[in-house]
Amino acid sequence: MVTIPYWFIRYAMPAGLLMLATVAIVVARPSYELGLEAPGLRQPPPAPSPVVPRQARTRSARASAYSVRSGDTLGTIAERFGTTVEHLLVLNPGIDPRALRVGQPLRVQ
């Protein structure tokens, strides 16, 4: 009866299997990189999707309310909305232009 030495199982078999895998990869890689596949295995390219023109975005009507942000003044808010500080004061009676609070709602139109 023939016994396989321990060193052969421990070292030679894994080395042989790695060598076999390396050879298989070296042989198969060029055909993979060049795209040489069997015709039945390759899937046809997807059909191009139809181009649907997008509608131009139009700006909606100006906002009628504005929430004060940090650093805002009535002057910068008026400039942003194309109006005057006096008009903002008329639209927002009772506000103190020197004490705006962050998050305070203002009418701007």
Side-chain angles (χ1 to χ4, degrees):
M1 181 169 177
V2 176
T3 59
I4 301 173
Y6 174 77
W7 63 267
F8 183 81
I9 295 172
R10 173 82 179 184
Y11 302 108
M13 284 185 66
L17 291 175
L18 286 174
M19 180 149 329
L20 181 65
T22 303
V23 169
I25 290 171
V26 167
V27 169
R29 187 173 179 169
S31 63
Y32 178 74
E33 287 179 350
L34 294 175
L36 302 175
E37 298 174 8
L41 297 178
R42 178 173 275 182
Q43 295 180 359
S49 60
V51 177
V52 179
R54 290 186 177 186
Q55 292 181 348
R57 290 185 181 182
T58 57
R59 274 191 119 160
S60 60
R62 291 172 132 182
S64 61
Y66 177 76
S67 182
V68 176
R69 292 187 260 176
S70 178
D72 278 346
T73 64
L74 282 184
T76 59
I77 295 170
E79 187 177 309
R80 182 177 297 140
F81 289 95
T83 186
T84 62
V85 173
E86 291 77 23
H87 188 252
L88 288 177
L89 289 172
V90 169
L91 290 174
N92 300 285
I95 65 164
D96 184 6
R98 294 177 303 268
L100 295 176
R101 295 180 315 276
V102 173
Q104 180 180 4
L106 293 179
R107 288 189 59 211
V108 292
Q109 248 189 347

